[in-house]
Amino acid sequence: MKQYVAAMDIGTSGCKSIIVDEDGLVVSSAIEEYPLYSPRPGWNEQDPEDWWKGAYISLRKAVDKSGIDPAGIKALSFSGQMHGLVAMDKNGSVIRRAILWNDQRCAKQCQDMLKDIGGFEKLRCYTNNNMLPGYQGGKLLWLREMEPENFEKMTKAVLPKDYLRYRLTGEYYTDVSDASGTGLFDVENRVYSWELLNCLNLSPDLFPPVVESSEMTGEITKEAAELTGLLPGTPVVGGGGDSVIQTTGMGLIKEGILGLTLGTAGIVAMGMSQYLENHNETLQFFCNNQKDLYHVMGVMLACGGSYQWYRNTLCGDEMARAKHQGVDPYDLLNESAKNSSPGAKRLLYLPYLSGERAPYTDPNLRGSFIGLAQSHSKGDITRSLMEGIGYGMKQIGESILELKPLKLDRIIVSGGGSRSDLWRQILSDIFQLPVYTVNGAKEGGAYGACLAGGVGAGIWSDLEEACATMKVVTENLPNVRNKEVYEEMYTIYSDMVPALKKQFDRLASA
Ligand SMILES: Nc1ncnc2c1ncn2[C@@H]1O[C@H](COP(=O)(O)OP(=O)(O)O)[C@@H](O)[C@H]1O
Ligand SMILES: O=C(CO)[C@@H](O)[C@H](O)COP(=O)(O)O
């Protein structure tokens, strides 16, 4: 009987469930969306009950669509939006709506905590990471200060995907990659940092036991089986945080390959086969989805988000034309950018529409087009946007190479932007490296989760064997003729933030 693995990816916009066979091929997939609540500027919350409905409905649809006998599904795995706080009480009930990764309310608590600990270098000794306001650690400090009655009731602080695990199996567990994103985790030793928890006066009992991504954490209950279409007793593995396990689905488990995710946010990431001290405040150094492996990444906040903003705000004509022709407006914009030339006729775009997380962590930076001339066309502007994102990604890539100097041999891209052949070619020319897309990566974190689940179920012996099933879908080779122009534009781009920092601070100050 053929063997399969199922996985669910609890994203911010919806839950995607997929089923993958033992050859690494996706046999079915289904998505259920759910709402996001933003009760105040900078606050973002979701109702875990909505996740639960999205999860069992999408999984049921994926199982039904596949037509396979559920007895062939050997494990269920997870990918999940990282960093969020689901506060649960002693009866296993949710105390308040979950506070999400993109919620900025605890910025003050993070700053105070950093000051109390003695600065980034001191904190780094515990976790090897900075405490970003997105992380669960700062949210716990906020809850204790601002909603003490809820904090008192809380007996478990759970990450989003681990709440679904609890509903599916009745067990509390988390995995090392997601736990890394709490900002409270000793990444080197793959355990919560009891010393840091002690400094912060947070009880270790709040946190679920931690497993590796392929380890078993329980079985599907009878009730969950009825809702999901899986058999009762189906094993459930640890799974992983989406930004990490998505790169596993791109084959990024060891050094040498750089991964670029062109989603709403942009992620530049690399797998690491050894632990390294992370002295860079803007890079995130997390456990990877297999014992002894690590993951480093830098996140650009407005990557595809820049393109989406540009399309919606400045490209009304193209949107109307696309609607009339029944085509994707991005395809029309990509076409016009092709008519420009490498370097976009010396026009630069700075992608800091939401401030930035990496290579600068600075909420005051602002997006800009620099160097506009009357001779510039719409195509030049569009191309400069794609190129600016490429230069920003190159900067993050260089800071990763400062942690671990090595020669890259290729780049794997994923995310919505990787649909564009032009954008892939621009990246190949800027980095002067071959750029590939691989099958499965378009499924986001769910695909990597299936690989980790398949290892847990014994379908593959380890992630290396699982990743060997991957197939290249597209290839873009670097054009050496474009090397010089991109190198020059990259140096001008890199000079921009130091030159404009004071002015950005003044613009942001009102
Ligand atoms: N055909 C395309 N060409 C270039 N960029 C695209 C195209 N389609 C989507 N995108 C980009 O991909 C982004 C969405 O990325 P995606 O990975 O699907 O979403 P998310 O990160 O929200 O999960 C869009 O904002 C857009 O910038
Ligand atoms: O902040 C991070 C990782 O550091 C994000 O990747 C979140 O984990 C959210 O993912 P999506 O819901 O957008 O897929």
Side-chain angles (χ1 to χ4, degrees):
M1 188 191 214
K2 204 165 188 179
Q3 304 186 89
Y4 301 87
V5 198
M8 39 178 66
D9 179 11
I10 305 100
T12 313
S13 51
C15 183
K16 175 185 256 191
S17 291
I18 69 168
I19 298 176
V20 164
D21 70 13
E22 61 195 33
D23 300 316
L25 298 175
V26 179
V27 293
S28 73
S29 135
I31 301 183
E32 279 296 305
E33 298 201 342
Y34 33 69
L36 172 78
Y37 302 97
S38 301
R40 294 191 201 180
W43 288 31
N44 287 298
E45 301 182 346
Q46 277 179 324
D47 185 343
E49 194 60 31
D50 291 335
W51 291 337
W52 171 232
K53 283 190 199 127
Y56 71 72
I57 295 173
S58 62
L59 185 53
R60 171 108 230 173
K61 283 188 181 164
V63 172
D64 290 351
K65 250 204 261 174
S66 72
I68 58 176
D69 177 352
I73 300 177
K74 298 302 175 195
L76 174 71
S77 180
F78 301 99
S79 158
Q81 51 167 295
M82 298 180 74
H83 316 310
L85 171 63
V86 188
M88 300 189 61
D89 70 13
K90 60 179 189 325
N91 304 315
S93 303
V94 172
I95 295 170
R96 72 177 321 289
R97 278 204 300 234
I99 308 177
L100 304 197
W101 62 280
N102 50 359
D103 186 297
Q104 298 290 325
R105 77 184 71 180
C106 65
K108 176 187 167 293
Q109 284 75 16
C110 291
Q111 273 169 6
D112 292 351
M113 174 252 196
L114 209 57
K115 226 186 317 146
D116 294 346
I117 298 278
F120 167 68
E121 272 302 320
K122 283 268 166 56
L123 176 65
R124 199 199 59 70
C125 297
Y126 296 118
T127 64
N128 209 29
N129 283 287
N130 204 348
M131 177 63 88
L132 302 181
Y135 291 178
Q136 194 192 63
K139 300 184 197 310
L140 283 166
L141 302 179
W142 179 91
L143 195 72
R144 183 165 65 192
E145 195 178 319
M146 306 305 290
E147 295 183 357
E149 64 299 347
N150 283 337
F151 187 84
E152 282 309 311
K153 274 191 258 167
M154 180 176 58
T155 54
K156 281 277 173 277
V158 175
L159 289 157
K161 75 175 196 317
D162 301 319
Y163 171 74
L164 295 181
R165 179 194 321 282
Y166 177 73
R167 296 294 299 260
L168 290 158
T169 66
E171 307 279 352
Y172 284 116
Y173 279 99
T174 191
D175 84 288
V176 291
S177 64
D178 219 2
S180 301
T182 59
L184 302 169
F185 198 67
D186 172 353
V187 169
E188 180 173 16
N189 296 303
R190 303 170 99 89
V191 289
Y192 274 92
S193 168
W194 308 128
E195 282 170 291
L196 179 60
L197 294 181
N198 194 30
C199 287
L200 300 175
N201 199 18
L202 288 170
S203 164
D205 297 340
L206 282 175
F207 304 95
V210 189
V211 295
E212 294 291 334
S213 300
S214 298
E215 271 183 71
M216 294 300 165
T217 61
E219 296 177 345
I220 297 287
T221 62
K222 203 163 138 288
E223 298 74 45
E226 273 162 23
L227 291 168
T228 58
L230 296 184
L231 293 187
T234 304
V236 175
V237 302
D242 61 2
S243 302
V244 182
I245 210 153
Q246 162 170 328
T247 62
T248 292
M250 293 158 72
L252 303 178
I253 46 173
K254 294 213 174 134
E255 293 90 344
I257 311 174
L258 197 68
L260 309 180
T261 303
L262 303 167
T264 303
I267 299 177
V268 182
M270 191 162 21
M272 291 275 167
S273 52
Q274 63 183 139
Y275 175 81
L276 294 170
E277 286 191 4
N278 173 22
H279 295 282
N280 185 317
E281 293 179 38
T282 74
L283 291 180
Q284 299 166 247
F285 194 95
F286 290 173
C287 294
N288 213 329
N289 306 122
Q290 187 165 292
K291 207 166 177 19
D292 302 326
L293 298 182
Y294 293 89
H295 161 99
V296 62
M297 69 178 168
V299 176
M300 168 187 276
L301 293 178
C303 171
S306 286
Y307 204 5
Q308 192 182 25
W309 164 83
Y310 171 68
R311 182 197 67 177
N312 295 347
T313 313
L314 298 173
C315 302
D317 282 359
E318 289 81 353
M319 299 265 277
R321 194 146 46 89
K323 195 167 171 202
H324 183 68
Q325 294 174 7
V327 297
D328 183 343
Y330 286 121
D331 288 340
L332 293 185
L333 289 167
N334 294 343
E335 247 346 275
S336 77
K338 252 193 210 160
N339 297 328
S340 177
S341 51
K345 308 209 182 94
R346 303 184 78 71
L347 179 61
L348 272 178
Y349 171 69
L350 309 186
Y352 312 124
L353 295 185
S354 314
E356 195 52 294
R357 206 196 270 184
Y360 313 96
T361 300
D362 190 339
N364 289 354
L365 299 185
R366 292 290 178 263
S368 327
F369 286 101
I370 296 178
L372 276 166
Q374 279 197 339
S375 53
H376 283 131
S377 65
K378 195 72 167 276
D380 296 324
I381 298 173
T382 310
R383 188 176 182 117
S384 77
L385 184 140
M386 293 170 153
E387 291 178 345
I389 288 159
Y391 302 136
M393 289 190 142
K394 183 168 168 166
Q395 284 184 316
I396 302 175
E398 286 188 346
S399 51
I400 292 178
L401 293 182
E402 277 167 22
L403 272 191
K404 172 93 188 177
L406 46 81
K407 201 167 156 32
L408 297 175
D409 62 10
R410 73 201 120 121
I411 287 175
I412 309 284
V413 290
S414 69
S418 70
R419 283 181 217 140
S420 159
D421 176 60
L422 175 68
W423 210 346
R424 298 195 306 266
Q425 188 59 47
I426 287 172
L427 291 167
S428 177
D429 289 350
I430 289 177
F431 283 84
Q432 284 293 300
L433 284 169
V435 165
Y436 300 96
T437 56
V438 291
N439 72 309
K442 69 174 187 310
E443 303 294 344
Y447 189 74
C450 281
L451 299 186
V455 171
I459 297 175
W460 301 293
S461 59
D462 56 19
L463 284 183
E464 224 161 323
E465 194 180 306
C467 289
T469 62
M470 268 175 208
K471 288 151 198 73
V472 167
V473 180
T474 62
E475 177 186 62
N476 292 76
L477 298 175
N479 184 341
V480 282
R481 273 177 300 157
N482 299 334
K483 184 170 185 274
E484 208 176 308
V485 61
Y486 280 128
E487 275 178 359
E488 195 208 352
M489 291 301 280
Y490 178 62
T491 61
I492 302 175
Y493 176 92
S494 300
D495 286 340
M496 283 300 171
V497 168
L500 295 173
K501 168 68 184 140
K502 270 195 194 144
Q503 285 73 14
F504 282 138
D505 283 340
R506 286 170 66 198
L507 286 172
S509 70

